[in-house]
């Protein structure tokens, strides 16, 4: 370690006085102007992690669905996974170190993690389309270079594409080629082969409207479009040519406001979807003949996918264990449908994809989705081998199912939830099953629900258990929630501190929208009173 150089360059990326940031669920996230030093330091940390794991590490510069003025950074571990927990702590420690302590902190982390400083390091970098992202990714590169790391800057990428690159590079090319063409080719080939098997691929299945949140998804879909145009034609909206990133559009907006994005004209029964700002989330929706808006969220996506996978397994005659992983935000109807109708086991984890991803790895086939549309399906290596064998050996009908499954395995991003990959899987399933968007929606009816935010002085006073479904502290809060929930039918409510914003989130569902709204409001008041609310008391109405 050239300690002199580190001190010198670190001063060029100086930390603003008094600023303290935390590596949260999605890395560091705040106003872009506060992040230069964090980027430089994450470049340094990525080099140490790369040396320790003797693998390529990824650094993604994005703030996903957050406003255009924000930015963020997260590290991607060797198999495309989120950073290991102990390293999240090092990230927070390093990001908050005072200038004069930088050398000591770096040595400290290296010693704690037994990093061999002689080892080579390789870091790959990607960024979204925010105006601040290019300069910030340059600061990451400065950090990587000062510690003697090699790097490849992919420039503009969706978050899941960067995860894909990291995964490819660390699996000796077996998973795919670590280039943008490699990504397009792998996914498109699987998609085109799959849809060729669809007996009904009329116009209805061939066209899809996509709201790209004015983000990176637009650029990448446009590049990719001609690779899969045989199977699907996409019409892009909010492609960044005029509107602001994530403003009144994108998956997060559509999901949380339960209404269509601006800038997209929707005719009745047209299939539409929205990506978020870094294209790792997707939700679908349509307007029915009466002009009512219908949202098809991550839960219904998981249901469509897991049902289809289960059908294929039955056809092949394989009894592999398949599980669906959700969070407390999953609509109660989805959980009931999966367990009672589909007979698929469902598990609940804490919010944050790393928890879901981890749990999903326990199954032969693990399908995980957050209600907000972030998710994928994971296939164990054993399953992949079995399916490949079946595709060669089985008789006709079974072979066809095995071939489909083989293509689906290729189509799912095994490294992260991916809006583009999920979109292609969904489109293929709908075409193969001959399902319209309304038929898909009709699998079950969502319970009306409401999500709210409450400002409190310190959101850490709220601690939870049972996958965030129950509050342990502050005293009396869970009892208050229990009493409120009892007043409504088919009701459920929980609260938790956000991992990405300085707020407490409140979720409620009930038999009618009015009840869900009331319950959410009453729970907000309980949080405000018992957990140190600040500012104005929560008001009813939305
Ligand atoms: P927080 O802010 O911890 O609720 C949000 C989403 C998560 C996840 C992360 C990371 C909800 C309720 N929460 O986390 O699901 O996507 O952002 O982006 O949607
Ligand atoms: Zn995102």
């Amino acid at each position: 370690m050239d300690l002199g150089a580190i001190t010198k360059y670190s001063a060029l990326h100086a930390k603003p006085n008094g600023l303290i940031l935390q590596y949260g669920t999605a890395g560091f996230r705040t106003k872009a102007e506060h992040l230069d030093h964090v980027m430089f330091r994450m470049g340094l940390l990525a080099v140490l992690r790369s040396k320790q794991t003797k693998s390529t590490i990824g650094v993604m510069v994005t703030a996903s669905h957050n406003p255009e003025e924000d930015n963020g950074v997260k590290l991607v571990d060797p198999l495309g996974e989120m950073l290991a927990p102990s390293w999240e702590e090092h990230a927070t420690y390093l990001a908050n170190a005072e200038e004069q302590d930088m050398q000591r902190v770096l040595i400290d982390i290296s010693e704690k993690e037994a990093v061999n400083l002689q080892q080579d390091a390789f870091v790959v970098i990607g960024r979204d389309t925010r105006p601040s992202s290019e300069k910030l990714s340059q600061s990451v590169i400065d950090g990587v270079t000062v510690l003697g790391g090699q790097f490849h800057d992919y420039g503009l990428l969706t978050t899941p594409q960067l995860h894909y690159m990291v995964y490819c590079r660390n699996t000796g090319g077996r998973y795919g080629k670590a280039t943008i063409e490699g990504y397009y080719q792998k996914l498109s080939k699987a998609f085109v082969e799959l849809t060729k098997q669809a007996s009904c691929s009329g116009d209805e299945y061939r066209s899809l409207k996509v709201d790209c949140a004015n983000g990176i998804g637009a650029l990448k879909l446009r590049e990719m479009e001609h690779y899969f145009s045989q199977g699907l034609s996409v019409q892009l909206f909010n492609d960044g040519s005029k509107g602001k990133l994530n403003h009144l559009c994108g998956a997060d907006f559509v999901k949380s406001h339960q209404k269509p994005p601006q800038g997209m004209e929707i005719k009745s029964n047209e299939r539409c979807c929205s990506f978020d700002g870094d294209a790792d989330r997707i939700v679908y929706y349509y307007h029915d003949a009466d002009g009512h808006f219908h949202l098809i969220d991550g839960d219904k996506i998981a249901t469509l996918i897991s049902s289809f996978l289960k059908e294929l397994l039955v056809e092949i005659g394989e009894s592999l264990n398949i599980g669906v992983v959700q969070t407390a935000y999953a609509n109660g109807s989805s959980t009931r449908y999966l367990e009672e109708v589909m007979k698929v086991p469902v598990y609940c984890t804490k919010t944050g994809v790393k928890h879901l991803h981890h749990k999903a790895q326990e199954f032969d086939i693990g399908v995980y989705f957050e209600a907000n549309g972030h998710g994928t399906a994971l296939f164990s290596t054993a399953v992949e081998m079995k399916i490949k064998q079946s595709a060669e050996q089985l008789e006709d009908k079974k072979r066809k199912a095995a071939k489909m499954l083989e293509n689906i395995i290729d189509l799912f991003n095994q490294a992260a939830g991916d809006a583009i990959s999920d979109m292609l899987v969904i489109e293929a399933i709908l075409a193969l099953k001959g399902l319209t968007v309304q038929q898909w929606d009709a699998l079950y009816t969502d319970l009306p629900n409401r999500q709210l935010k409450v400002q409190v002085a310190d959101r850490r006073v709220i601690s939870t258990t049972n996958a965030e479904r129950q509050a342990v502290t502050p005293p009396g809060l869970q009892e208050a929630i229990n009493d409120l929930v009892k007043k409504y039918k088919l009701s459920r409510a929980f609260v938790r501190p956000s991992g990405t914003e300085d707020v407490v989130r409140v979720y409620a569902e009930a038999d009618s929208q009015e009840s869900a709204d009331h319950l959410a409001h009453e729970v907000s008041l309980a949080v405000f009173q018992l957990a140190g609310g600040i500012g104005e008391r929560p008001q009813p109405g939305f």
Side-chain angles (χ1 to χ4, degrees):
M1 244 194 279
D2 181 349
L3 294 172
I6 292 166
T7 307
K8 187 172 138 206
Y9 280 91
S10 186
L12 299 176
H13 298 280
K15 179 174 97 75
N17 268 339
L19 183 68
I20 294 180
L21 296 168
Q22 177 92 29
Y23 195 98
T25 340
F28 293 102
R29 221 169 255 191
T30 185
K31 293 276 159 264
E33 70 251 32
H34 296 147
L35 280 168
D36 181 56
H37 69 294
V38 177
M39 297 290 164
F40 174 76
R41 293 169 185 208
M42 289 308 103
L44 299 173
L45 193 73
V47 170
L48 294 184
R49 181 68 172 152
S50 172
K51 285 176 187 283
Q52 189 211 31
T53 57
K54 303 187 177 59
S55 307
T56 296
I57 294 295
V59 181
M60 183 70 199
V61 177
T62 181
S64 181
H65 57 280
N66 293 114
E68 184 168 292
E69 298 71 30
D70 292 7
N71 217 322
V73 58
K74 69 175 180 191
L75 266 59
V76 179
D77 252 2
L79 294 180
E81 292 159 289
M82 303 293 177
L83 192 59
S86 63
W87 282 79
E88 287 190 358
E89 280 174 32
H90 302 329
T92 301
Y93 180 37
L94 183 60
N96 295 315
E98 295 305 329
E99 240 15 87
Q100 67 274 15
D101 299 331
M102 282 292 286
Q103 295 187 2
R104 188 178 53 76
V105 169
L106 284 169
I107 292 171
D108 207 18
I109 296 171
S110 306
E111 282 175 357
K112 265 195 201 134
E113 293 290 345
V115 175
N116 172 6
L117 294 168
Q118 307 311 316
Q119 179 69 37
D120 289 340
F122 199 86
V123 178
V124 291
I125 300 141
R127 64 177 144 90
D128 71 10
T129 55
R130 278 160 216 274
S132 59
S133 290
E134 189 169 358
K135 189 162 175 285
L136 290 175
S137 71
Q138 200 51 54
S139 305
V140 174
I141 293 173
D142 284 358
V144 172
T145 334
V146 166
L147 267 191
Q150 303 281 320
F151 70 92
H152 179 82
D153 179 12
Y154 280 100
L156 293 164
L157 279 189
T158 71
T159 297
Q161 284 173 340
L162 182 78
H163 285 255
Y164 165 91
M165 301 303 174
V166 172
Y167 194 43
C168 288
R169 284 177 181 265
N170 290 319
T171 46
R174 273 190 311 280
Y175 183 64
K177 269 177 77 179
T179 61
I180 194 75
E181 288 77 28
Y183 173 92
Y184 294 152
Q185 277 159 3
K186 176 172 172 146
L187 267 60
S188 308
K189 181 168 171 278
F191 177 73
V192 170
E193 274 182 23
L194 253 180
T195 43
K196 265 191 207 146
Q197 305 195 34
S199 43
C200 34
S201 45
D203 281 354
E204 191 172 350
Y205 300 104
R206 285 199 21 96
S207 71
L208 172 69
K209 289 188 164 174
V210 188
D211 153 32
C212 298
N214 289 316
I216 182 74
L219 269 73
K220 296 298 155 181
L221 254 192
R222 195 148 276 153
E223 278 174 15
M224 187 178 185
E225 210 175 350
H226 70 273
Y227 287 83
F228 61 67
S229 54
Q230 274 173 279
L232 175 71
S233 111
V234 287
Q235 218 185 325
L236 309 189
F237 296 84
N238 298 320
D239 64 354
S241 51
K242 35 183 197 291
K244 231 176 148 180
L245 180 69
N246 296 325
H247 184 60
L248 305 175
C249 62
D252 194 61
F253 173 85
V254 172
K255 166 75 181 159
S256 48
H257 293 83
Q258 305 189 17
K259 63 180 186 197
Q262 278 196 0
M264 185 192 245
E265 197 195 309
I266 308 177
K267 297 202 196 80
S268 69
N269 296 330
E270 266 182 341
R271 207 164 63 251
C272 307
C273 68
S274 284
F275 291 4
D276 74 338
D278 61 341
D280 60 0
R281 292 191 194 177
I282 183 168
V283 295
Y284 270 72
Y285 44 89
Y286 68 99
H287 274 148
D288 64 21
D290 299 328
H292 291 129
F293 174 78
H294 293 254
L295 175 71
I296 303 183
D297 65 5
D299 305 331
K300 227 165 232 172
I301 295 175
T303 306
L304 178 77
I305 291 169
S306 53
S307 312
F308 187 68
L309 291 174
K310 201 173 168 192
E311 275 171 35
L312 288 182
L313 290 178
V314 170
E315 240 170 79
I316 305 168
E318 286 288 355
S319 61
L320 296 167
N321 82 52
I322 173 166
V324 174
V325 188
Q326 306 182 316
T327 69
Y329 291 100
N331 196 277
S333 293
S334 72
T335 316
R336 196 169 317 119
Y337 180 84
L338 283 163
E339 286 179 332
E340 291 171 17
V341 182
M342 290 310 306
K343 310 278 182 218
V344 177
V346 180
Y347 300 82
C348 185
T349 70
K350 290 203 278 186
T351 304
V353 281
K354 69 177 172 199
H355 300 294
L356 291 107
H357 193 96
H358 193 71
K359 185 72 192 171
Q361 285 172 325
E362 290 177 15
F363 306 94
D364 293 329
I365 302 179
V367 179
Y368 74 84
F369 268 88
E370 293 189 306
N372 62 32
H374 189 147
T376 189
L378 301 180
F379 299 83
S380 71
T381 326
V383 168
E384 213 181 321
M385 304 259 288
K386 237 182 199 171
I387 300 298
K388 285 223 160 88
Q389 279 169 5
S390 305
E392 277 156 25
Q393 289 163 3
L394 294 172
E395 76 265 23
D396 251 15
K397 189 165 171 248
K398 288 185 174 179
R399 192 170 61 224
K400 191 173 160 196
K403 274 271 169 216
M404 278 189 201
L405 206 44
E406 216 182 334
N407 284 323
I408 289 196
I409 295 175
D410 278 346
L411 198 43
F412 270 117
N413 191 332
Q414 297 293 288
D418 182 337
I420 295 181
S421 136
D422 292 341
M423 176 190 85
L424 294 175
V425 172
I426 293 163
E427 291 300 310
I429 296 178
L430 293 178
L432 287 163
K433 290 187 63 86
L435 279 180
T436 63
V437 70
Q438 302 89 315
Q439 287 168 325
W440 172 21
D441 187 35
L443 286 179
Y444 60 82
T445 307
D446 274 321
L447 281 171
N449 57 88
R450 179 64 63 192
Q451 243 195 77
L452 296 174
K453 300 177 190 183
V454 185
Q455 303 278 351
V456 297
D458 180 2
R459 68 194 199 277
R460 288 171 304 182
V461 301
I462 296 193
S463 61
T464 62
T465 182
N466 190 13
E468 301 176 323
R469 289 171 291 192
Q470 275 173 307
V472 179
T473 59
L477 180 58
Q478 188 55 48
E479 289 72 18
I481 297 174
N482 293 346
D483 288 343
L484 294 169
V485 165
K486 275 188 210 134
K487 293 168 47 183
Y488 301 91
K489 287 200 197 98
L490 299 177
S491 56
R492 185 168 73 90
F494 67 92
V495 303
R496 54 175 280 280
S498 159
T500 62
E501 280 178 68
D502 192 10
V503 296
V504 175
R505 293 200 199 283
V506 171
Y507 177 90
E509 63 185 33
D511 64 333
S512 72
Q513 191 61 52
E514 204 192 355
S515 301
D517 289 353
H518 272 143
L519 177 56
H521 174 61
E522 288 177 319
V523 173
S524 299
L525 287 175
V527 170
F528 192 84
Q529 278 154 13
L530 298 167
I534 52 170
E536 217 187 313
R537 264 165 68 89
Q539 297 296 312
F542 312 93

